[in-house]
Amino acid sequence: MKNPILLLSIIIPMFLLGACRSSKPVAPTFYVLEFPMERIPDEKPLTLPYSLEITEIDLHPAFATHQIAIREGQHEIRYFSHHEWAVRPVQSLTRYINDYFKNVQVFRSTDTRYWNIQPDYKILTSVNHLEVLKDGNDYLAHLHVDFRLVMTEGTVTVVTHSADNTRLLEKRNLNLFAGAINDMFFEELQFFTRKILYEFSAE
């Protein structure tokens, strides 16, 4: 070919195109939050003769998507690029609470929706923080949750429980993070349940 510049203008784009095609995109990894069936106690508490509705949780919008948040400053968060929740936390944690109360059988009946009756009580849940927290060289799981047991008739609050917890991760591993959130959520539900049973036993 008489024109070397023309030759290079053809070869270089072809080389770059081939290089782009050979690099594989990074596949995302997905994480789940789910009720741990193996932690159901063998001994069931006394079942209360009431129906319970589990309402959809109220989750801070910054943590409500499939993206997993990491806080690196007091007012600064970012999101992991290739690590996501398999199910949006609003859905998975609402299901988690429902599964918990159905399996521990604290109430006569538990569901996320009643069609033919008005339930006696409702559980209202707010999650204010659900994030990885960076503290120097350490990484922690951070969960801030509020539970309320409300009498449906008159919307009277009967029992409340609030917890703002962190748990140190052995290393920067989002599987450990999801496990820590799962464990903390379970433990706070247990504590909330004890408060409910104590309240009704005092009547």
Side-chain angles (χ1 to χ4, degrees):
M1 184 174 288
K2 295 180 179 180
N3 192 337
I5 297 176
L6 179 62
L7 179 62
L8 287 174
S9 67
I10 295 172
I11 293 174
I12 291 174
M14 290 178 65
F15 174 78
L16 293 175
L17 182 62
C20 290
R21 285 182 177 175
S22 63
S23 61
K24 294 181 180 179
V26 178
T29 304
F30 298 96
Y31 302 86
V32 293
L33 296 172
E34 54 190 350
F35 173 67
M37 296 291 291
E38 70 278 4
R39 295 186 67 176
I40 301 172
D42 294 329
E43 188 175 334
K44 304 291 185 184
L46 178 66
T47 300
L48 301 172
Y50 306 111
S51 54
L52 176 69
E53 180 181 355
I54 308 300
T55 65
E56 184 175 87
I57 73 166
D58 178 22
L59 180 60
H60 190 291
F63 313 110
T65 69
H66 283 275
Q67 294 177 294
I68 297 175
I70 177 168
R71 184 179 297 271
E72 297 183 323
Q74 185 176 1
H75 304 292
E76 176 189 355
I77 66 170
R78 62 183 179 85
Y79 299 97
F80 290 95
S81 301
H82 305 294
H83 300 271
E84 300 180 7
W85 296 118
V87 179
R88 289 190 306 112
V90 167
Q91 297 169 302
S92 58
L93 292 179
T94 300
R95 183 186 178 109
Y96 190 119
I97 300 169
N98 188 54
D99 289 345
Y100 173 87
F101 279 98
K102 276 191 170 183
N103 280 280
V104 298
Q105 299 174 8
V106 176
F107 290 82
R108 182 188 65 217
S109 63
T110 300
D111 215 328
T112 55
R113 185 173 298 178
Y114 286 86
W115 297 101
N116 300 320
I117 65 167
Q118 176 176 280
D120 300 305
Y121 293 91
K122 294 182 179 183
I123 286 181
L124 309 180
T125 306
S126 299
V127 175
N128 303 304
H129 294 94
L130 178 67
E131 61 190 352
V132 177
L133 184 62
K134 188 177 185 297
D135 183 14
N137 294 323
D138 293 329
Y139 292 87
L140 304 96
H142 182 202
L143 175 68
H144 182 186
V145 60
D146 299 305
F147 297 109
R148 285 195 298 145
L149 179 69
V150 176
M151 188 182 296
T152 304
E153 189 69 35
T155 63
V156 177
T157 299
V158 180
V159 180
T160 63
H161 175 59
S162 181
D164 189 358
N165 292 332
T166 58
R167 186 160 296 179
L168 181 65
L169 304 177
E170 294 178 6
K171 55 185 176 179
R172 186 180 172 178
N173 180 306
L174 289 182
N175 191 54
L176 294 178
F177 164 69
I181 293 294
N182 227 55
D183 289 343
M184 288 191 289
F185 200 76
F186 181 85
E187 289 159 12
E188 298 311 327
L189 271 175
Q190 276 192 316
F191 198 88
F192 180 48
T193 300
R194 292 190 200 106
K195 292 177 78 169
I196 292 172
L197 292 171
Y198 178 80
E199 176 66 28
F200 281 92
S201 68
E203 290 184 351

